[in-house]
Amino acid sequence: MLKFIVRRFFLLLLTMFLVSIAVFLIVESSPGNVAKNVLGAFITPEQEASFLAQTGLDKPVYIRYLYWLIGSDWHGEMKMDMELQRITTEDDYLEWWALREDGSLVRWKLEGDDLFATVKSPDGKVRTELDNDRWTTNDQGISTFWGVDHQNHVVKWEKGTDEKVWTFIAGSGWMETSGGPTRYIPLKKGFIRGDPGVSLRTGRPVSKSIFIRLRNSLVLAGIAFVIVMPLALFLGIIAGLKEGSFKDRFLSISGMMFSVIPEFATGIFLILIFSYWLNLLPGATVFGELAPWQRPDMLILPVLTLTLIELGYVLRITRSSMAEVMRAPYIRTAFLKGLPYWRVVFRHAVRNALIAPITVIMLHVNWLMGGIVIVEVVFGYPGLGQYLLNSALYKDINALEAGTMIMVLIAVGTQLIADIIYTFLNPRIRYS
Amino acid sequence: MDSPPPIDTDTVLSVNNLSICYKTRKALVKAVRDVSFTIKRGETLGIVGESGCGKSTVSFGIVDFLGANGLITGGSVLFEGQELVGRSQKELNRLRGDRIAMVYQDPMAALNPTVRMGEQLTEVLTSHRDISLPEAKKQCVAMLKRVHMPDAEQVMDRYTHQLSGGQQQRVVIAMAMLNNPSLLIMDEPTTALDVTVEAAVLDLVEDLKRDFNTGILFISHNLGVVARVSDKVCVMYAGQVVEMGRVTELFKKPCHPYTKGLMRCVPKLGTDKAGSKLHPIPGRVPHPLKRPEDECIFVPRCNYSTDKCVQSWPGLYEVLPDHVSRCFYAEKVLKESLKEKTGNDKKAVSADAEEQPDETLLDVDNLKVYYEQQSKSIRSLFGLDEPQYVKAVDDISMEVAKGKTLGIVGESGCGKSTLVKGIIGLEEITDGDIDFLGVDIALPVDERQIETIQDIQMVFQNPDATLNPAYTVGRQIARPIRRFGTVPKNQAKAEVIRLLQAVRLGASYYDRYPRQLSGGEKQRVGIARALASRPDMVICDEPVSALDVSVQAAVLNLLLEIQKMLGTTLIFIAHDLSVVRFFSDDVAVMYLGQIMEMGPAETIYAPPYHPYTEALLSAVPIPDPEAEQKNIRLSGNVPSALNPPSGCRFHTRCPRRSMLPDNGMICETEVPPWRPVSKGHHILCHIPLDELRKIDSVVSAA
Amino acid sequence: MTSTEQTADTASLPPERTGFFKNLKNGLSVLLSSKTASVGLVIVLFWVIVALFAPLLSPYSPTEQDWRAPNQGPTLKHPLGTDELGRDLWSRLIYGARVVLIVLPISDQVWFPIGTAIWGVIASLLFGASLGLLSGYRGGWMDEIIMRLLDAMMSIPIILLYLIIVTAMGASALNVVIAIAIVGTPGVARLVRSLTLDIRTRDYIRAAETRGESTLYIMFVEILPNAKGPIIIDAMLRVGYAIFAMGTLGFLGLGLPPPSPDWGSMVAKGREFILSGSPWAALWPSIAIASLVVGLNLLADGLREETMRYQ
């Protein structure tokens, strides 16, 4: 049994690895242009090239994958032959600095042919000094230097080139400078070290915005889950107790209808009924960074939509499992032992009937996430699903990868939990 | 007969004119018609009959547990003087499990897989009586001990899958006996068990009946089992009782053509094909919707029937005291039965009359078939564990002579199926040689020469699985003909029809689908398909064990006839020792992947025996209540083939070890010698032959 | 040997007539004996007929705009009303059904018969059945590799697969087919594999093996026909899922490129106008998709129940 779980765990890691590669390759091979998405349709080829170089998007796909997965700071350190450090500033920005032997941090700026070092000593004081000793000159007489710039790249400066750099600053537009670096390594720690990178769409670290979105989605799914589970299991057992009875037919057919109608259609029906005709509830959610529980009335319709869909599904699974168990010979034995009806149902039937649905339900989490995406779009709910959809449409690779990994982790993780619960519930596996 | 018998205090159950119907969408199907019988305290009534004759329906009808669509349409069920028909389920519930207990066929399915034995046992007590849990537990442990369950206390904490089949059935029986019921209903309680386990369970039933003075209703399709346990026997056919009487009477003097037919179509232990003949009952049990109300139900299959039989429905006639038969010609049947008894069987057979040098067709040498077993430890995930092997077939050598039949017997899991799969190439061989007509065929089937494939064919066990439901009979028989090109293409259809006729099915079967055939017909088509490639050897894997006895005989006869006609060599696997004895020239007895004893059939069934053969023979249920049989029971379970016992495989359970010095220490350490007994007869045992010869014959027919 | 047994044994049913129409008749009678399946059939047939004869059933083209009558409710001229560009909703609805059930548009001029959703299911059946048969029948490392890959695929949230596939390839009917096929394949493969695992233990498979038949012959001739029943019922449910998926993709703006009539995108567009007082453009396509999917499920459920009863 332990072997089984360990095996599943390795499988989980493998799945995540494969999926992350797949996403990278698919997004890579797709038509469309991130630069145009970010900067608008009217950029010049030079501007585009400069943008791609700065974001690292000009590098071959395997390098980008490697940077994304395990980070790029090690590569920068190799080039610079200095240690790199990431710090969080007081106003919550992430900055990369190189570490000098004396313990102070340093990064550089090129002005004309002069290299200026910005030094931050351990006590927090910052000063700027001329640092031209660092140039190395090769056979052709070209002086170069690998250092950290002010935009979190490890860069290669070359003395005397006329490299133009366009920097896009949100709010103020393009800034053109010349004499810029010839090569960039955008610095990040890599996904497995907890850094999913910066969103191309918002320019903010993915980890920050995704957290709020994830919280919102979990609130939505959590409420639905807490309502659905007991209700669906109960109704499923009731329906399965007497196969073919009116109660059974009513519950299974309505369950089927709820579970197969697409979420957006259910959502539209509910909006029309409750907010358009009855005018009882808000038909859309409008809270920005606010927590969803500050407007509970806006949660009702999204939760109801999710609940209906999941309720139907879980009910039907439970029902068929219960019906099957009620036909089993050991239930006949229990009746022929003269046990009271409810004892047979609770002691003998329910336990066996719940083994199958619990695993199936856990596997269904996968499907539930699809439902959440749609429900979020229908109601304009600011959750992970919408974030993911927008990132996908935008080809915002870092955000997309991070969202994907979270979803896959949840999906595969619940499967792992389902397996563990299953082995726990089923003595045949537990004791073998 | 129709008036209910007077109730005396000894009568536990009295069923009178019980009729039961099932509602289907189309019609009301009559499953049981006018069944009457009584059971006294301490008496066992056996009900026999083929499948579909309504035995189980009667047993469920007694406690009115017929499901949503079954209902009792007439008659009465008096249990200890009280009428049960028409009582509410709630009232019946009070009797079920308390005064009336039931035991069913498959103990694995009858026990709840997720509830511990202890709870399943104690709830029988706590729900019927006012009893504290510890006290109930104590009684349950005592009852488990009473049914000879080893480690009774520990068993209380176990789950179903942790017990062997025999142990599970003991738990079910203990559960039934807990409230000391006055009626115990057992429906095929040993059918799913191996023969040695079955014998032990039957002993237990006998034992309990004596001690608890319970009345038992024992249902079985197996005449031998019924003969062993019953005091009275009731024969059912197509929902009706056709004959009932005391067990010895009924077996000695059958008065109904059906009863007589049943007895004549099973081989008696010790008879063989040279000396006797099986008489199958033609036709099959009519479908419940096609049962005439006002004529004898057995007419289409009866060779006594006259016009009288279709004009009215025969009642039950008392032919002899306490012995009734539903036949107009009961007296005539009885007279003929008595006559046949004396002049039967013994055709003088000179065993060595046809002493020709046997040509060896198949020669198996030191054959081993191992499967790798998946380990459950974490270490194995990283390939650190030594791989473990299930030794399904371990070092088997044997020869099969051309035109003869080799029978292989053994209980489930002994490796007999793996052995033939190895021979036919469906199982990869780990080690050893198989030589077929001088060609080495120790290869998987896809690496064999097409001629070799064509020469070895197979007949399978399960009639419902032997034919592909998607294609017609003709197409399935034609496939091997086309594949091996046995006849030119344009003659293929004629060849198929010829084969259909050879297996006694007409050309009209060519276009039928398997779902339109009966079990026996499907087996015949399976045989025709195997013969289509004109093989030298046909392997029959339990070809009749899934069939009703009356059909069994017809299929066995067919195989014999074909062998005589074509000179085909047969390997015949079965678990029924009487059938193997009847059918085979040579017999091999297998246990845990090895052959324990092999030789001409008659030598296997007579001393000297291998101790395992002896135990098997003493366990075989014999359809003759007067036959004397030694009572040798094996203890313990069959050990795992993953880690078979050292030395002699059988040493852990051998009842004859005491015949050796030191209680057979040598059996645990040394592999026994393959001792030659007589020509072609060998025994794998440490006990000297002279000692084995001293042992008496297991069965002495009365 | 006994001559009696031959006569009696053969006295059973007359040979069954076979053929396509016989099969069709049998199938229909099974279908109609179930109330559930009959209701489902009526709903599905309604949409099939409406889609098939769409050009005859509406005077308007689905893209014809009437700028004087945007966002109208039902009127005599427009029985279901109009959308924000004044296009007739009934026309858009039935042409939308056409794309789902009857035609697969490749470009403006080129289209294939049989609807987009159905093509998706056919493709996933082809891939899934082959993989499932191979994996179930051959077993061993082949099974291990195929199943691990499919497991990995199945553990990716379905919506994510759709998103990634369609955003990568761009929105078009053909790409929707590909997305449905890719997402559906693991499920079909698993079903076929489990059926194969069961069927391959039957003796007739062993009989074929003892004849030395090839793996392909056993897979496709001996096993597949016997797995047909459950596969057909599953396929029906899958068409339902495919329509579900098409709608969802359309709703997310990943379906057919505008201005094609697409139920999902009609709902997405119509949704914006609900709160401004025009619910019709969102309501009708929602009802359409819901009824069609429910109809297919009723049909499949009834059929499954009925075939189980016959066994």
Side-chain angles (χ1 to χ4, degrees), chain B residues 23 118-119 127 145 147 149 166 215 284 330 338 360 373 408 418 453 476 491 503-504 576 580 594 630 658 671:
Chain B
K23 274 179 282 186
E119 190 179 337
S127 63
K145 284 184 178 151
V147 299
M149 175 70 90
R284 51 166 138 163
L338 289 173
T360 303
Q373 170 86 10
I408 303 178
T418 312
I453 295 175
Q476 299 196 52
Q491 291 167 30
V503 295
R504 311 233 161 255
D576 185 329
V580 170
Q594 292 192 332
K630 264 196 278 184
S658 53
V671 176

Side-chain angles (χ1 to χ4, degrees), chain C residues 293-304:
Chain C
V293 174
V294 167
L296 275 164
N297 274 275
L298 285 174
L299 186 59
D301 274 8
L303 214 56
R304 177 169 41 201

Side-chain angles (χ1 to χ4, degrees), chain B residues 385-696:
Chain B
D385 272 357
E386 288 274 304
Q388 286 188 298
Y389 294 99
V390 175
K391 295 170 181 169
V393 168
D394 203 7
D395 208 6
I396 278 185
S397 303
M398 61 181 199
E399 288 180 7
V400 184
K402 195 165 186 180
K404 296 281 168 131
T405 303
L406 171 71
I408 303 178
V409 282
E411 296 178 282
S412 53
C414 71
K416 51 190 195 297
S417 291
T418 312
L419 173 63
V420 296
K421 276 192 192 168
I423 292 171
I424 210 158
L426 296 184
E427 204 67 72
E428 202 162 323
I429 287 156
T430 312
D431 196 20
D433 296 316
I434 310 174
D435 186 284
F436 182 80
L437 285 173
V439 184
D440 176 36
I441 59 161
L443 302 164
V445 69
D446 46 358
E447 291 168 29
R448 291 186 181 183
Q449 302 275 326
I450 189 133
E451 291 80 15
T452 313
I453 295 175
Q454 185 179 352
D455 274 344
I456 310 179
Q457 285 299 311
M458 195 155 173
V459 174
F460 299 94
Q461 171 173 9
N462 184 349
D464 295 323
T466 192
L467 301 179
N468 192 329
Y471 301 111
T472 60
V473 164
R475 194 169 160 186
Q476 299 196 52
I477 301 177
R479 176 66 196 175
I481 297 175
R482 296 235 162 78
R483 178 163 165 73
F484 299 114
T486 48
V487 298
K489 264 193 178 156
N490 53 358
Q491 291 167 30
K493 181 161 183 177
E495 172 82 357
V496 172
I497 290 172
R498 202 183 62 73
L499 283 162
L500 279 172
Q501 277 156 352
V503 295
R504 311 233 161 255
L505 299 170
S508 66
Y509 280 74
Y510 190 89
D511 284 323
R512 291 194 194 174
Y513 281 92
R515 64 172 180 277
Q516 297 169 289
L517 308 185
S518 72
E521 288 168 339
K522 286 179 197 161
Q523 275 317 60
R524 283 161 196 264
V525 174
I527 292 168
R529 182 183 57 194
L531 294 174
S533 68
R534 304 193 175 163
D536 286 333
M537 184 164 85
V538 174
I539 296 177
C540 306
D541 186 357
E542 308 243 14
V544 294
S545 59
L547 301 175
D548 274 325
V549 281
S550 63
V551 183
Q552 222 176 57
V555 172
L556 287 176
N557 281 345
L558 176 71
L559 281 170
L560 282 178
E561 191 192 22
I562 281 165
Q563 185 177 33
K564 213 178 280 169
M565 208 165 69
L566 305 175
T568 316
T569 310
L570 298 177
I571 293 182
F572 185 89
I573 301 180
H575 63 272
D576 185 329
L577 278 87
S578 323
V579 170
V580 170
R581 166 74 176 105
F582 173 82
F583 197 77
S584 315
D585 300 299
D586 296 289
V587 173
V589 180
M590 280 186 74
Y591 180 80
L592 261 187
Q594 292 192 332
I595 295 180
M596 294 286 124
E597 182 174 6
M598 181 159 68
E602 64 276 8
T603 63
I604 302 289
Y605 289 75
Y609 302 113
H610 185 280
Y612 179 60
T613 315
E614 190 189 6
L616 277 182
L617 286 172
S618 81
V620 187
I622 300 174
D624 178 359
E626 289 182 333
E628 294 283 326
Q629 213 169 354
K630 264 196 278 184
N631 189 344
I632 299 167
R633 299 291 176 250
L634 296 181
S635 55
N637 297 323
V638 182
S640 156
L642 200 60
N643 197 1
S646 58
C648 174
R649 292 272 157 105
F650 190 52
H651 83 248
T652 52
R653 306 173 75 200
C654 183
R656 293 281 178 203
R657 271 173 74 180
S658 53
M659 291 170 73
L660 286 169
D662 297 335
N663 197 17
M665 276 307 291
I666 189 169
C667 301
E668 292 176 28
T669 50
E670 277 178 44
V671 176
W674 185 233
R675 293 186 201 272
V677 184
S678 57
K679 185 177 175 293
H681 182 200
H682 291 78
I683 291 178
L684 188 77
C685 188
H686 284 294
I687 304 172
L689 284 177
D690 291 335
E691 294 289 319
L692 288 176
R693 284 204 175 91
K694 284 180 198 155
I695 296 170
D696 294 331

Side-chain angles (χ1 to χ4, degrees), chain A residues 192-210:
Chain A
I192 54 171
R193 286 154 70 200
D195 177 15
V198 174
S199 162
L200 295 171
R201 188 159 54 97
T202 61
R204 296 177 54 190
V206 170
S207 52
K208 287 239 162 62
S209 37
I210 215 163

